[in-house]
Amino acid sequence: RAAAIAEVVARFVDACTRNDAAALLRAVDDARHAMHALGVAANKDVVTGEHEAIATITQTFGGAAKPSGAGGGDVAVCFVPSERRAHVERALVEAGFPVVGLQIGAPGVRIDA
């Protein structure tokens, strides 16, 4: 199972390097399926019903989603075409899923002394 996840990660990185959005979305979706298989093998709920619902909503708008987090999916990370982002966010909120705004390069946690 870990080998399947490693292979998907390699495809994700390759898709990012080549700027291939379609391959990236396939890799994200395949990662969700690999994580589900790992959870089944470990008898753990890694890809929860909520994660599946989020993935379904995201796919409706041409994207893909997967759990992300150290504890088996603290959050779902959604990848969608930028022109559909607002539609996905609205659909997620309407379905009861809070949307957290993230950005690459955002400042991390810091302690002011």
Side-chain angles (χ1 to χ4, degrees):
R1 312 272 186 277
I5 292 173
E7 185 269 330
V8 170
V9 169
R11 287 194 292 119
F12 178 88
V13 170
D14 179 62
C16 289
T17 301
R18 293 183 296 107
N19 198 26
D20 184 340
L24 183 139
L25 294 175
R26 282 191 304 275
V28 171
D29 196 50
D30 290 348
R32 181 174 50 85
H33 290 290
M35 292 172 75
H36 175 75
L38 179 64
V40 168
N43 199 28
K44 298 289 180 189
D45 198 12
V46 175
V47 180
T48 65
E50 291 86 354
H51 286 117
E52 290 292 349
I54 291 168
T56 298
I57 290 168
T58 305
Q59 287 172 335
T60 300
F61 295 95
K66 64 176 270 320
S68 180
D74 302 327
V75 298
V77 179
C78 303
F79 297 81
V80 294
S82 58
E83 67 274 6
R84 298 185 187 145
R85 178 180 173 178
H87 300 290
V88 172
E89 288 180 354
R90 187 170 27 264
L92 289 169
V93 169
E94 288 173 0
F97 300 111
V99 174
V100 178
L102 302 175
Q103 64 185 30
I104 295 173
V109 175
R110 67 177 207 204
I111 298 173
D112 290 328

